[in-house]
Amino acid sequence: MRTTLILLSARLLDPATGGFLPHTALAAADGRITALGDDREIRALADGTTTVIDLKGAVVTPGLVDGHIHPVHGSELTSGLDLSGCTDLEQTRQALARAVRDLAPGAWLHAWGLDPNVFGELPVDTAPFDQVLGDVPAFLLLFDAHSALASRRALELAGVDGPRTFDQATADVVCDADGRPTGLLLEDAACELVERVAPQPTREERRDRLAAALRAMAAAGLTGGHAMDANGDSLELVAELAEAGELPLRLRIAPWCQPGTDADGVRALIEQQGTGGRLWEVAGVKIFMDGTIDNGTAWLEQPDCHGESRHAFWPDPEEYTRIVATLHRAGVPTATHAIGDAAVRHVLDAVEKAQAEFGPGPRHRVEHIETVPDDTLRRFAELGVVASMQPTHCCDFTRADHTDNWSRRLGEPRASHAWRCRDLHDSGAVVALGSDWPIAPFPPLGVMAGAVHRRPSRDLTQAPHGPEQALTALEALRGMTVNAAYAAGEEDAAGRLAVGHRADLTVLAADPLTVPATELADVPVLLTVVDGAPTHRAAEL
């Protein structure tokens, strides 16, 4: 077997132990690690076609994997005006005004990343922006990507002039006391009413945006992602990039199962499993159990301060339970979006029921888990359900003093039990980490750092939210290596620096276990390797 890649003068970090391996060099062939040893013996494996890189003492970790990411959907949603840096209404109005001035007559304004905290105590609606937007058709996606604001002109073009009913139980065209839309649209079904009349990018534009996003992810050190968006033609776009040699990440893709999916639809999801290519595969099914706390569509055991977040995403939650059982029996793992405590409990109940009826099966996951009661923690380990969490959501969208929208809605004591990464870990759960990009930035070092410091990434001098729920640096590294592999059922092939494991590697300029957490996000990524081939290489190498 011809050796295709050799890395020399390396410090090989083992996330299982937190220590460095005794070896200084690594060889790869056919996408796998084939040898570990000292520089001299590994260099001897090279021939004239081998890529040999002297790392000069840089740190090599198993490839960092984002446990929850939306590469296709995200590359589409993040086009247009970025509002994520706006912290109050005036900043938002100024940003919109600048964008409106640059628009061609009749053109739509697309924006994303709007934080509901900019509204303070005011309702989240378009009223503060009516004067700025005027007759411009505008679609402003809120940061959670579960809600949006549509301008009055956009609503008019979409023919939305009052309330609607949807298969998604928490979807809503929010209206005032007179039945007139306020501009706030909750969940995909409502947002699509306006999105479908707005101009759409060409397929070539969508492909190019996806390719650019994936290249940026590779440059940030990601070697893979558990992608939660196999909708429309997204699989075709991924396959096209792979065929052209332009897929720099290994993607594990879970198509969605929405309310209203009938038996034929579930059967199609089962038959789709395992399809793909060398670097991508359909594996698992993504299901929603609720929406988000920030827009009042989560499913809570006790309503929020507005009396909202009282319902499941599924009109009949037992239909979800039946679908989980069907998938479990077929050996298909599920990844369920469950943010509220009632949603999390229902998912665990559904898995427990499926296991009782059909025996042990695939590894199921719960995604997000923003609030969870004490008596639910231990059930993750008991049922073998993976806790898939995104710590940077807590860092960037909540505050230590609980004056943010998320915390105000929940109130005490729930706001003091946010993103219980530590408690879940200590209860025996496997905690996999991710970004949920485009909801939060995808650079994995920032995700790991947030899990440790739990501070706002824009101002690290601020107090942490729930520091008692922080992970250690080693636990955070495991969350994107060992635990990510376990969550995918790939612990025998990924997540470790071992002969026979995939040659998916991330090379860093410093040891991520000893760099202060507040500096970790800025550590340079020197090299990213996927399937034994560099996908990013810094100039100094």
Side-chain angles (χ1 to χ4, degrees):
M1 184 183 299
R2 184 175 63 85
T3 298
T4 54
L5 176 70
I6 285 177
L7 303 181
L8 303 173
S9 302
R11 291 188 289 162
L12 306 178
L13 182 57
D14 179 9
T17 65
F20 288 101
L21 298 177
H23 317 292
T24 61
L26 173 154
D30 194 29
R32 300 279 172 168
I33 298 173
T34 54
L36 298 169
D38 62 33
D39 284 17
R40 181 185 56 80
E41 62 182 326
I42 297 300
R43 189 189 292 272
L45 300 175
D47 62 23
T49 64
T50 304
T51 299
V52 179
I53 303 176
D54 184 347
L55 295 182
K56 304 172 185 175
V59 175
V60 180
T61 73
L64 300 179
V65 175
D66 192 308
H68 187 118
I69 198 166
H70 302 271
V72 180
H73 199 42
S75 63
E76 296 168 357
L77 294 181
T78 54
S79 63
L81 175 64
D82 181 0
L83 294 174
S84 63
C86 297
T87 58
D88 57 37
L89 281 176
E90 186 54 35
Q91 285 185 5
T92 309
R93 277 191 286 261
Q94 291 176 7
L96 292 172
R98 290 192 294 269
V100 166
R101 286 196 295 269
D102 294 336
L103 281 178
W108 280 67
L109 172 60
H110 290 268
W112 61 280
L114 178 61
D115 188 340
N117 284 301
V118 304
F119 292 86
E121 301 288 344
L122 296 175
V124 179
D125 58 33
T126 56
F129 311 132
D130 284 346
Q131 185 173 357
V132 172
L133 295 175
D135 291 329
V136 171
F139 185 81
L140 316 178
L141 190 70
L142 273 75
F143 83 86
D144 62 6
H146 282 253
S147 51
L149 290 175
S151 69
R152 299 194 184 282
R153 178 57 176 159
L155 293 172
E156 180 184 351
L157 291 173
V160 178
D161 56 6
R164 301 286 181 93
T165 58
F166 304 95
D167 287 338
Q168 298 171 3
T170 53
D172 192 20
V173 174
V174 178
C175 296
D176 61 21
D178 296 321
R180 294 173 300 200
T182 67
L184 179 60
L185 306 171
L186 302 180
E187 300 297 347
D188 288 342
C191 293
E192 286 171 2
L193 296 175
V194 174
E195 288 179 296
R196 66 191 179 201
V197 302
Q200 300 299 316
T202 66
R203 192 176 190 283
E204 182 179 6
E205 288 171 335
R206 293 174 60 235
R207 181 193 183 281
D208 290 346
R209 289 174 187 172
L210 174 59
L214 292 171
R215 287 194 300 270
M217 291 175 189
L222 280 175
T223 64
H226 298 171
M228 306 290 175
D229 57 352
N231 304 304
D233 63 350
S234 61
L235 292 179
E236 288 82 358
L237 288 171
V238 171
E240 186 177 323
L241 291 179
E243 182 67 24
E246 298 179 47
L247 186 60
L249 260 66
R250 192 183 301 275
L251 297 178
R252 183 179 189 271
I253 306 174
W256 290 9
C257 180
Q258 297 273 41
T261 303
D262 59 16
D264 288 341
V266 175
R267 190 159 41 249
L269 288 170
I270 294 170
E271 293 171 352
Q272 198 176 19
Q273 301 298 305
T275 59
R278 184 177 177 93
L279 292 180
W280 68 279
E281 179 186 19
V282 175
V285 171
K286 166 72 180 298
I287 316 178
F288 290 86
M289 197 66 246
D290 65 352
T292 69
I293 288 168
D294 274 292
N295 67 23
T297 59
W299 187 16
L300 297 172
E301 294 181 339
Q302 298 296 325
D304 67 18
C305 70
H306 300 300
E308 298 178 338
S309 285
R310 297 175 296 164
H311 304 291
F313 189 73
W314 291 67
D316 178 9
E318 290 309 309
E319 180 61 21
Y320 163 87
T321 300
R322 289 189 286 271
I323 287 176
V324 167
T326 300
L327 294 171
H328 178 85
R329 186 179 186 182
V332 177
T334 59
T336 301
H337 168 121
I339 281 177
D341 45 18
V344 174
R345 191 183 301 278
H346 190 89
V347 175
L348 295 174
D349 287 346
V351 171
E352 184 172 30
K353 185 175 181 180
Q355 291 176 348
E357 187 172 358
F358 301 114
R363 242 166 241 165
H364 300 287
R365 306 156 50 134
V366 181
E367 309 296 319
H368 309 311
I369 320 170
E370 294 182 7
T371 179
V372 61
D374 291 344
D375 66 344
T376 304
L377 293 169
R378 57 178 175 77
R379 298 183 66 198
F380 282 83
E382 291 172 354
L383 297 171
V385 173
V386 173
S388 173
M389 305 187 74
Q390 299 75 45
T392 44
H393 293 195
C394 181
C395 295
D396 290 340
F397 303 125
T398 68
R399 300 169 187 155
D401 63 5
H402 300 167
T403 58
D404 59 278
N405 180 59
W406 188 95
S407 300
R408 289 199 314 271
R409 277 183 173 268
L410 282 186
E412 298 300 341
R414 290 182 295 189
S416 295
H417 292 80
W419 283 269
R420 299 178 70 174
C421 299
R422 165 57 52 202
D423 289 343
L424 280 160
H425 174 276
D426 289 352
S427 72
V430 173
V431 178
L433 300 181
S435 66
D436 197 16
W437 185 79
I439 311 307
F442 56 71
L445 295 182
V447 173
M448 291 163 52
V452 180
H453 64 59
R454 293 177 68 98
R455 299 171 185 269
S457 59
R458 294 191 189 92
D459 184 0
L460 295 172
T461 65
Q462 291 190 31
H465 187 169
E468 72 281 357
Q469 294 299 330
L471 298 177
T472 68
L474 178 57
E475 291 163 351
L477 176 61
R478 287 173 178 162
M480 304 197 81
T481 54
V482 176
N483 294 357
Y486 180 88
E490 298 175 338
E491 62 268 31
D492 294 332
R496 298 285 304 277
L497 298 177
V499 173
H501 276 48
R502 290 174 181 159
D504 294 353
L505 312 165
T506 303
V507 180
L508 306 173
D511 181 357
L513 303 186
T514 58
V515 170
T518 53
E519 300 174 15
L520 178 57
D522 297 323
V523 170
V525 176
L526 301 179
L527 183 71
T528 310
V529 175
V530 174
D531 206 40
T535 55
H536 161 73
R537 184 171 179 176
E540 53 264 45
L541 291 182

